[in-house]
Amino acid sequence: MCEHWPPCPPATAPEHGSARLVAYHPEQGWGLLCNGVVIFDDGGELPPGDRLVSLSRLQAAAPVG
């Protein structure tokens, strides 16, 4: 899907959130990354395949440093 060079990380990669934003709708609270991940202003994500990732799961998975 990504046509950038270097290519953006795929939706399954841990760094998938660093993909380029290709559409953004702040009035609706969401954006689309070029790897197909939909990001929400509240921190939630919807990767391709309809598996919702909640903000609490993302925070719980973040390394403590």
Side-chain angles (χ1 to χ4, degrees), residues 9-60:
T12 55
E15 66 277 3
H16 65 270
S18 64
R20 290 190 187 185
L21 192 62
V22 294
Y24 183 52
H25 296 276
E27 71 283 359
Q28 297 175 353
W30 66 274
L32 175 65
L33 302 178
C34 71
N35 58 8
V37 175
V38 176
I39 56 170
F40 297 97
D41 288 349
D42 67 359
E45 300 177 346
L46 183 61
D50 301 327
R51 190 187 87 236
L52 183 62
V53 179
S54 70
L55 176 59
S56 60
R57 281 192 59 211
L58 291 173
Q59 290 173 337

